[in-house]
Amino acid sequence: MDNKTLFEKTTISKLFAIVTIPGIISMLVSSLYTIIDGIFVGQLLGADAFAAVQLVMPFVIINFAIADLIGVGSSVPIAIKLGEKDEKSASNIFSSACLLILVTGMGAGALLFFFGGSFVRLMGAEERLVIMASQYLRIYAGFAPVTTILFAVDNYLRICGKVRYSMMVNILMSVLSIILEFIFLFVFRFDIWGAALATCLSMFVCALIALAPFFRSKMQLRFVRPQIDRKVLVSILANGAPTFLNNISGRVTAIFFNIFLLRMGGSIGVSAYGVVMYADSIMQPVLYGFCDSLQPAIGYNYGAKNHDRIAAIRRRCFAICGILSVIMAAVMLLLNKPIVSIFVQAGDTALMTLAIHALSLFAFAYLTRWVSIVAQSYFSAIGKAGHATVVSLAIAFIFPMLMLFALEPLGLDGLWLNLPSASLLTAILAVILLVVHDKKWRRPKESPGSIS
């Protein structure tokens, strides 16, 4: 069905089934590849390679975050413009965004290619880890101009109602990445750079497939000669800022975490933290996939001024995400040992013990983390970039950095308890922002003849 019927006319229950299930599946499949990537690296290449990937991964994500800034930032005004039935302006924003992603991918890729190793060395890593991390990062940097656009195109496909097509592209990317990484690491015995090459080749192929419908001009969004004026650029940057700042500040926080981990626990501490992050990648994508899938619907209805429908979508989103999060926390606590054993070699008992303990403490983050995820996604969808940015910075940087120093006397336990503490504080902040927003949103407007 077309996006007007899907977003504006379909019942809430059917809308959730149509858009969130493929969105969650897409995120889970992508997460599955991340998990298998961790298994391959940890089991085939060993603990040092596993630690090297954790040290350099923040820089890889920063590289993609720039494209995500433009992709997410352009998706909000595109959805609103389509809701206003202004397809010409929507196509201009779409075309401008694609050009910006290509240019910024070249710049960011060049920076990481030549200076990535120096960044890792400054963190205090031993030279053997620096060499492996540099090999891994340079593959991603070299492919940056042609791979980073994939994240943005996923948003554009969903905006145009191509939810299943988007899901299939994500599934293909994960399956192809798994196959290539198995061939490169297990059959050809490539080093750590083979893992990065498998991912980048898969992303490049799937980026071409994802863009194909737009090149055929069979979508509501079409490639036109981009006119990047100040208004378009400001709109993209403002609406993409929350997600970008969340990604960037989160990676900066991860870099500080790695510095503290190297100091307190050495490479085994970094590896334990990596295991926790891989375990998190099993759970977290469900929440993000659920919320992100609903953003086009909320943005479209916001442009169409269907406020009651937006409120209904938001209520159900909060309820479902809350239930899912409690289940996720229970799974992490009850199945911590089986989860950790997926990524750690059986003979590495020291890492196994530390990672199980870390995951048991980290699990409590899910009791409140869902509040900030839903709130940030909602604020981004309706163009409240300031509110979304505050929530993003709070959960990804401000509170984690405060807790990093406040909980330092607890040693490594302070690091494992960092996100649970930060999530609680951010949830309180998010609720306050939602209450303030709702009061202004629902305040009845004065009649023209009223006296102030």
Side-chain angles (χ1 to χ4, degrees), residues 137-185:
L137 182 58
R138 283 184 172 178
I139 298 296
Y140 275 99
F143 275 88
V146 293
T147 57
T148 53
I149 196 170
L150 182 61
F151 297 98
V153 179
D154 183 65
N155 290 324
Y156 303 145
L157 286 170
R158 286 189 280 115
I159 288 173
C160 292
K162 299 296 183 181
V163 180
R164 292 182 181 177
Y165 189 87
S166 171
M167 178 185 70
M168 295 307 298
V169 171
N170 283 311
I171 291 174
L172 175 63
M173 189 198 76
S174 297
V175 172
L176 186 58
S177 296
I178 292 169
I179 293 173
L180 289 179
E181 188 163 353
F182 177 80
I183 293 173
F184 291 166
L185 298 187

Side-chain angles (χ1 to χ4, degrees), residues 157-281:
L157 286 170
R158 286 189 280 115
I159 288 173
C160 292
K162 299 296 183 181
V163 180
R164 292 182 181 177
Y165 189 87
S166 171
M167 178 185 70
M168 295 307 298
V169 171
N170 283 311
I171 291 174
L172 175 63
M173 189 198 76
S174 297
V175 172
L176 186 58
S177 296
I178 292 169
I179 293 173
L180 289 179
E181 188 163 353
F182 177 80
I183 293 173
F184 291 166
L185 298 187
F186 189 79
V187 179
F188 293 156
R189 300 293 179 180
F190 288 166
D191 210 337
I192 191 172
W193 57 269
L197 181 61
T199 303
C200 290
L201 286 175
S202 303
M203 291 182 68
F204 174 60
V205 171
C206 290
L208 295 178
I209 295 174
L211 285 168
F214 299 101
F215 282 117
R216 292 198 300 266
S217 299
K218 293 185 177 181
M219 310 283 276
Q220 286 178 297
L221 295 176
R222 295 177 174 83
F223 281 109
V224 297
R225 184 183 295 274
Q227 298 178 359
I228 310 177
D229 57 27
R230 182 176 178 275
K231 185 177 180 181
V232 169
L233 186 59
V234 169
S235 176
I236 291 174
L237 295 178
N239 287 291
T243 299
F244 175 74
L245 290 174
N246 182 54
N247 287 330
I248 291 294
S249 56
R251 294 325 112 195
V252 172
T253 302
I255 291 170
F256 275 95
F257 266 53
N258 285 329
I259 293 172
F260 274 66
L261 286 164
L262 285 169
R263 190 182 72 191
M264 295 179 181
S267 62
I268 188 175
V270 175
S271 295
Y273 180 67
V275 171
V276 171
M277 291 299 99
Y278 274 113
D280 185 43
S281 69

